[in-house]
Amino acid sequence: MKRFFLSLALTALAKFALAQLLGQSDAFTRADTLRGMLTPLRTCYDINYYHLDVKLDIPGRAVSGSNTFHFTAADDFSRLQFDLFSNMKVDRVIYKNKPLKFTREFNAVFVDFPREIKKGSKEIFTVYYAGKPVVAKNPPWDGGFIFKKDKAGNPWVSVACQGLGASAWWPNKDHQSDEVDSMLISVTVPKDLKEISNGRLRSVVAVGREHMQYNWFVANPINNYNVTMYVGKYAHWNDKYKGEKGDLSLDFWSLKEDSVKARPHWDADVKPMLKSFEHWFGPYPFYEDGYKLVQAPHLGMEHQSAVAYGNQFKKGYLGGDLSDSGWGLKFDFITIHESGHEWFGNNITTKDIADMWVHEAFTNYSEALFVESLYGKEAGDQYVKGIRRNIKNDRPIIGSYHVNSEGSGDMYYKGANMIHHIRKLMNDDEKFRGILRGLNKTFYHQTVTTQQIEEYISRESGLDLKALFDQYLRQAAPPEYID
């Protein structure tokens, strides 16, 4: 029975590792290019600030509202592209109190300005829109909105859209290379429910007699797919962690019905996790926005400063050990893994999803480092060796560029073992730790390429790692591991 259950868990995680790209295929289309390519219509403007203001219609499974774009012109231009899925309606685009002309092609929207926007100028336009966004059939493995109910029958709603794209539910420049510098997220929901998003809560405002608007400000750069909402009957408590940059606020949001078991369960992992990851990776990257752990109606997602949790308050991965070493049952997989993404994925984000190994390899290895922090180096070694059994060697870890296509799910386990291999070659744990911390300091709040990461690690380690990176990242064949 244990083997059968673990097989089910591994099958589920294999799906999780593929990160649910909608319609992913080797036969790429014009729509894929519009989604994944950095054309002049995208590079011509740099996003500075968004104000996303939406109302959630739970019975209708719909959203409506607006997003205001504040940008700096990177070139002279009179036309730009933003993104919104074709099943969502653009009502109007307003610039200087007048409507702009726009056209649509697949999930891309092209806006024409009445005059040339000059390089260096700062401009604002607002997109008003509405529609029924994609509903995820099996979240988070396929992206979209999640409409569920708690045990008492109350609405429980969230969204997870990595891979699928944030433009599935709100208009934005949907490319990882350009993270907005800061944003305000305003979400209006029925007054008897709570709403949680990224960043810090600024205000809660009554909207008529039946609704409340929650206003959350994100002070740090954030990638579009990390922007989220959680709506339900939530309990809330807070704490502080004395970290490397001072007091870090901790906020916990569980369903009211689960709060009694949630508190001790999360207490067991969160502070030890922060201690371990700040030791290995450097300060938590978003002190200004705090750390939140939020119970979600799906398994989990690395939503920046509002980590989604759905592991049923169990140790391991839904009660199973992905490493089959025993060490995987010593911690809650989702709490540790998704929080690890605050450093790799959220602090350091790849420009193209084809390079997503940078997010997943280091974060998967963070699990082994957490085990090592608590139980010693041998335990961490056993964990990372144990997860090798999940490697498929099916295709290269690096995906196809410019078409929003990720590579093999081996970016998790094979990627983690690549990091372990480099550490063993270095044979200097403090120098290795310096590289991990240096990555997060050098590329703090930046978007990067595989080449940048490879060059940094090679330079700082003093090793010629080209053949090793090629073997792990660009070939499907099994690598030669080092213990």
Side-chain angles (χ1 to χ4, degrees), residues 7 11 14 24 61 68 99 132 140 152 157 174 206 214 224 228 237 240 248 393 466 478:
S7 176
T11 300
Q24 181 173 321
R61 297 190 168 192
T68 299
K132 295 185 177 183
V157 182
D174 207 358
Y214 289 77
N224 297 331
T228 193
W237 62 99
K240 286 184 179 180
L248 172 63
N393 298 306
K466 184 180 185 306

Side-chain angles (χ1 to χ4, degrees), residues 1-12 318 320 324 389:
M1 286 298 291
K2 178 182 177 182
R3 285 281 180 184
F4 177 71
F5 178 83
L6 186 56
S7 176
L8 292 177
L10 290 172
T11 300
L318 293 171
D324 204 27
R389 69 197 187 102

Side-chain angles (χ1 to χ4, degrees), residues 237 252-254 262-270 293 309 313:
W237 62 99
F252 301 94
W253 297 83
S254 77
R263 289 178 184 240
H265 185 83
W266 285 342
D267 282 348
D269 280 341
V270 169
L293 193 56
Y309 174 87
F313 305 104

Side-chain angles (χ1 to χ4, degrees), residues 20-212:
Q20 77 278 357
L21 284 180
L22 184 67
Q24 181 173 321
S25 169
D26 291 332
F28 299 112
T29 67
R30 166 70 173 166
D32 296 321
T33 300
L34 287 171
R35 172 75 169 86
M37 178 72 76
L38 268 179
T39 65
L41 296 182
R42 284 170 142 179
T43 59
C44 66
Y45 70 112
D46 175 36
I47 289 294
N48 306 133
Y49 177 81
Y50 286 133
H51 179 197
L52 176 61
D53 185 357
V54 296
K55 182 177 182 180
L56 177 64
D57 175 4
I58 297 175
R61 297 190 168 192
V63 295
S64 61
S66 65
N67 187 32
T68 299
F69 293 62
H70 295 240
F71 68 87
T72 301
D75 294 296
D76 296 344
F77 70 91
S78 58
R79 173 178 256 216
L80 61 73
Q81 174 188 334
F82 72 83
D83 306 280
L84 184 67
F85 271 36
S86 59
N87 63 299
M88 305 290 285
K89 180 185 178 183
V90 176
D91 292 323
R92 60 194 185 280
V93 181
I94 301 298
Y95 170 69
K96 296 186 182 298
N97 298 316
K98 294 182 179 180
L100 292 178
K101 293 180 180 179
F102 63 89
T103 57
R104 307 194 70 173
E105 183 180 4
F106 298 105
N107 300 327
V109 183
F110 302 98
V111 178
D112 293 298
F113 290 83
R115 59 174 178 78
E116 187 174 62
I117 306 295
K118 294 296 185 181
K119 180 179 179 179
S121 63
K122 294 184 180 296
E123 302 286 351
I124 302 171
F125 68 92
T126 302
V127 179
Y128 293 87
Y129 77 107
K132 295 185 177 183
V134 173
V135 175
K137 295 179 181 179
N138 187 28
W141 299 289
D142 64 331
F145 260 79
I146 302 101
F147 293 93
K148 288 189 176 182
K149 293 186 177 181
D150 63 21
K151 295 172 187 175
N154 301 300
W156 190 18
V157 182
S158 190
V159 60
C161 57
Q162 184 182 18
L164 177 67
S167 52
W169 70 279
W170 62 285
N172 59 80
K173 181 179 177 180
D174 207 358
H175 197 279
Q176 285 187 181
S177 64
D178 190 4
E179 294 186 339
V180 68
D181 300 328
S182 62
M183 71 180 295
L184 179 63
I185 305 168
S186 301
V187 182
T188 300
V189 299
K191 67 179 182 180
D192 60 333
L193 302 175
K194 297 285 181 66
E195 191 277 327
I196 304 102
S197 287
N198 318 80
R200 294 192 184 276
L201 185 62
R202 276 191 166 177
S203 63
V204 182
V205 181
V207 179
R209 295 183 177 181
E210 301 300 325
H211 291 84
M212 302 295 289

Side-chain angles (χ1 to χ4, degrees), residues 209-222:
R209 295 183 177 181
E210 301 300 325
H211 291 84
M212 302 295 289
Q213 182 188 68
Y214 289 77
N215 297 291
W216 298 84
F217 180 69
V218 183
N220 291 288
I222 185 170

Side-chain angles (χ1 to χ4, degrees), residues 268-288:
D269 280 341
V270 169
K271 287 186 178 180
M273 174 273 297
L274 289 167
K275 181 179 180 181
S276 172
F277 289 173
E278 286 209 329
H279 170 79
W280 285 105
F281 305 147
Y284 175 76
F286 309 106
Y287 270 74
E288 298 85 354

Side-chain angles (χ1 to χ4, degrees), residues 392-406:
K392 294 183 177 181
N393 298 306
D394 55 351
R395 56 196 176 101
I397 285 175
I398 294 178
S400 299
Y401 290 105
H402 311 305
V403 286
N404 198 54
S405 175
E406 66 185 46

